[in-house]
Amino acid sequence: MASPHVLLFPFMSKGHTIPVLQLASLLLHRGASVTLFTTPANRPFISTALSDTTVSIIDIPFPKNIDGIPPGVESTDKLPDMSQWPRLVIAAKLMKPGFEKALTSLPRISFMVTDVFLGWTLESAQKFGIPRLVYHGTSNFSMALSFDASPSQQLLIDSGSDNKKLFTIPRFPWIKFSKNDFDPAFVDPESQYKKHIEYILEQVQATGKSYGIIVNSFYELESVYADYWNREVKPKAWCVGPLCLAPAPQNKAENGQTRSWIQWLDRKQEEGKPVLFVAFGSQADISREQIKQIKTGLENSGVNFLWVVRSKLAEDDDEFEYQVRDRGMLVKEWVDQREILEHSCVQGFLSHCGWNSVMESICANVPILAWPMMAEQPLNAKMVVEVIGVGLRVDTSDGFVSWEHLKKMVKELMEGEMGKMARKKVKEVGGAAAKAVAEGGSSWKALNELINELHEET
Ligand code: UDP
Ligand code: UDP
């Protein structure tokens, strides 16, 4: 029998692309051949990440002149602001003819893994007789809580303007929720997404008719929710993560140079100073006033910190950089976040709780100070703090975080008792993650089963 051939098509955002590249690496290590679809503007990032691998990359043209999307922008992190992201999801469907044309030119495909926001690929998959798995990008916990939004949405509406009012969701009566655990855009009648929500839901609903879901998580982390999903919801969720533990391609240290921030971390290591890593992902929009509070909070906390800030959010601020010169570093470039988290002096992560960041932090045994900003991040934060106990939560219930509160929480994470407990717990959970992906572990087995199941069918 020929080796399995898998087609991957990630959505055009960093958070949905990076883990799929890691999945590609896992598939190659299982002897599969891999073809990956992307758009021309996303190709450089992807081909750099996959250089030294045999993945073949095919560009599908992205539509031009879409209202609200500046020319040349083909990924959410390049949008002027995140209110435009639904338009990018909608525009992606116009890639369907290009997608199908590319499919006709490929050798037999065992299965495809396409993003949850590319639900339209299911029709093509059916037409070509290829099983489609969905890359969903989040945990079983948030999948189980969000798959049927209506009951919780009603509860959210019922709690009115009280962000802290507690309620339970019938299928998970042991957890107390508040409005604070959900994206404000989800319930806000003025939400900028409202107009587009139906289209997006349509994409997501195609998941229900697909062959299965690839989940970037491991069974032991959230067995209750994985079991719930596979018993009550379906299609089957295959937990094959954490994907960030996949063997990285060989090209890591581009041109052999050590980055200045790694040298800085090495120095902190020599000085015996623990460092807080601060990063809010590739997409979050943060107001100027909020950035100021973060600066003041970090400055007053007295901790050492490395802050990776998207250049569009970071105005030059020599005074701040001068004030924190001995113990703070600001980086305005794309970094290898995993490499930073794995540095042994990094002892805490102030994070927006994008699911990839959560997985990466756990795998690096770094406790999290959770500051969720949008989408399912509040649910991820809930999971981090209340379900697995590997972090603390910044209080975001006022929609704004003061420097005083941030300072207090940063100190607690880095120096306090609660931080100590989270640090102990994260080592345990990180150990379980490593076991899950190692030979014979639950994620290892799940990926093998999936490949065998689908390869035999073709
Ligand atoms: N990331 C990175 N370097 C950066 C910024 C982000 O490697 O400078 C990676 C990060 O490690 C993670 C992904 O980009 O794998 C971001 O995904 P996440 O789910 O954490 O957040 P999102 O960006 O989707 O909000
Ligand atoms: N960046 C990002 N996501 C990306 C690419 C870049 O968040 O996919 C951030 C990057 O960390 C940097 C800024 O956006 O802070 C500018 O990125 P780039 O160097 O690609 O410049 P651009 O072409 O956007 O002007």
Side-chain angles (χ1 to χ4, degrees):
M1 201 160 38
S3 62
H5 175 206
V6 183
L7 172 70
L8 304 177
F9 191 5
F11 182 66
M12 296 78 77
S13 75
K14 290 291 180 288
H16 285 235
T17 296
I18 290 169
V20 173
L21 302 179
Q22 294 159 347
L23 177 65
S25 160
L26 285 184
L27 290 165
L28 292 176
H29 278 82
R30 299 300 209 283
S33 61
V34 178
T35 302
L36 189 138
F37 286 180
T38 185
T39 74
N42 289 300
R43 189 189 183 104
F45 179 83
I46 289 177
S47 42
T48 306
L50 294 178
S51 60
D52 295 337
T53 75
T54 55
V55 174
S56 64
I57 305 171
I58 296 180
D59 289 347
I60 312 292
F62 190 76
K64 306 250 178 291
N65 308 321
I66 302 292
D67 213 19
I69 304 181
V73 170
E74 297 178 2
S75 79
T76 56
D77 40 70
K78 300 279 184 192
L79 289 168
D81 70 83
M82 276 305 280
S83 66
Q84 305 299 344
W85 81 267
R87 290 180 195 275
L88 204 104
V89 178
I90 293 170
K93 189 171 181 177
L94 300 174
M95 297 165 78
K96 196 173 177 203
F99 177 73
E100 294 193 353
K101 189 166 160 223
L103 284 182
T104 55
S105 69
L106 288 177
R108 193 185 189 88
I109 295 168
S110 313
F111 61 95
M112 64 167 79
V113 180
T114 60
D115 194 88
V116 64
F117 293 136
L118 307 173
W120 52 266
T121 55
L122 175 66
E123 284 168 18
S124 311
Q126 288 168 336
K127 192 156 128 190
F128 285 77
I130 306 167
R132 177 212 182 203
L133 282 107
V134 182
Y135 184 73
H136 203 290
T138 185
S139 64
N140 289 287
F141 177 72
S142 85
M143 274 164 50
L145 282 155
S146 321
F147 85 94
D148 171 15
S150 42
S152 30
Q153 213 158 11
Q154 193 52 48
L155 288 159
L156 287 167
I157 291 164
D158 293 348
S159 53
S161 59
D162 185 352
N163 281 348
K164 291 190 172 165
K165 186 173 168 190
L166 297 175
F167 56 84
T168 54
I169 291 175
R171 42 182 198 279
F172 304 114
W174 59 88
I175 318 175
K176 297 254 184 299
F177 291 93
S178 73
K179 235 176 158 166
N180 210 14
D181 295 318
F182 297 87
D183 182 348
F186 190 55
V187 277
D188 178 4
E190 304 296 313
S191 164
Q192 58 215 18
Y193 304 147
K194 273 269 146 51
K195 256 198 319 217
H196 305 297
I197 211 86
E198 255 172 49
Y199 177 83
I200 291 174
L201 280 179
E202 211 179 278
Q203 299 308 304
V204 175
Q205 275 154 6
T207 299
K209 297 186 219 109
S210 302
Y211 188 90
I213 306 177
I214 299 282
V215 185
N216 182 10
S217 182
F218 59 105
Y219 179 75
E220 293 76 10
L221 184 71
E222 38 174 359
S223 53
V224 172
Y225 304 95
D227 288 343
Y228 175 83
W229 182 274
N230 284 333
R231 198 178 56 236
E232 309 281 338
V233 192
K234 302 201 175 48
K236 181 166 172 178
W238 305 77
C239 296
V240 301
L243 292 169
C244 62
L245 292 178
Q250 298 306 310
N251 64 333
K252 265 196 124 172
E254 269 168 66
N255 54 43
Q257 275 176 357
T258 308
R259 309 286 189 203
S260 59
W261 48 93
I262 297 297
Q263 287 169 348
W264 187 85
L265 289 173
D266 289 344
R267 218 162 47 241
K268 290 290 154 193
Q269 176 73 22
E270 279 161 25
E271 293 168 9
K273 302 253 171 69
V275 171
L276 173 74
F277 175 45
V278 183
F280 303 107
S282 63
Q283 312 195 127
D285 295 321
I286 306 175
S287 73
R288 202 177 268 187
E289 186 47 38
Q290 187 62 84
I291 294 267
K292 261 197 216 155
Q293 300 286 319
I294 299 173
K295 286 180 176 167
T296 314
L298 289 174
E299 188 180 335
N300 283 279
S301 71
V303 307
N304 289 268
F305 65 89
L306 173 67
W307 182 4
V308 174
V309 59
R310 302 177 69 198
S311 57
K312 77 171 197 181
L313 302 177
E315 287 166 11
D316 284 338
D317 185 349
D318 296 339
E319 195 188 324
F320 174 69
E321 297 197 26
Y322 181 74
Q323 292 291 352
V324 298
R325 65 193 176 283
D326 294 328
R327 55 182 182 83
M329 182 172 189
L330 255 75
V331 177
K332 297 172 194 168
E333 287 166 64
W334 185 262
V335 298
D336 181 343
Q337 181 169 294
R338 284 195 293 168
E339 185 187 18
I340 293 176
L341 281 164
E342 281 162 13
H343 200 286
S344 49
C345 71
V346 173
Q347 293 291 321
F349 183 13
L350 172 56
S351 167
H352 73 311
C353 288
W355 185 243
N356 299 301
S357 291
V358 170
M359 283 287 102
E360 290 161 14
S361 203
I362 287 176
C363 292
N365 297 345
V366 175
I368 299 171
L369 178 54
W371 181 344
M373 302 198 170
M374 58 175 193
E376 92 294 358
Q377 294 155 15
L379 286 174
N380 296 343
K382 192 167 192 79
M383 190 173 164
V384 162
V385 178
E386 295 175 37
V387 182
I388 26 185
V390 295
L392 315 178
R393 175 105 156 63
V394 170
D395 183 353
T396 51
S397 54
D398 297 332
F400 187 77
V401 176
S402 70
W403 72 263
E404 291 93 339
H405 177 67
L406 185 64
K407 170 187 159 186
K408 184 176 121 202
M409 297 311 294
V410 161
K411 284 178 80 75
E412 185 58 44
L413 181 79
M414 298 302 282
E415 296 158 7
E417 260 325 288
M418 279 155 73
K420 208 191 251 171
M421 275 160 61
R423 195 160 294 115
K424 187 162 164 235
K425 183 73 188 175
V426 79
K427 290 204 175 96
E428 207 180 284
V429 181
K435 251 195 191 151
V437 297
E439 192 167 347
S442 59
S443 294
W444 167 277
K445 284 195 204 144
L447 187 60
N448 282 354
E449 275 165 28
L450 175 66
I451 295 173
N452 290 338
E453 192 171 305
L454 285 170
H455 190 39
E456 275 162 19
E457 280 188 14
T458 49

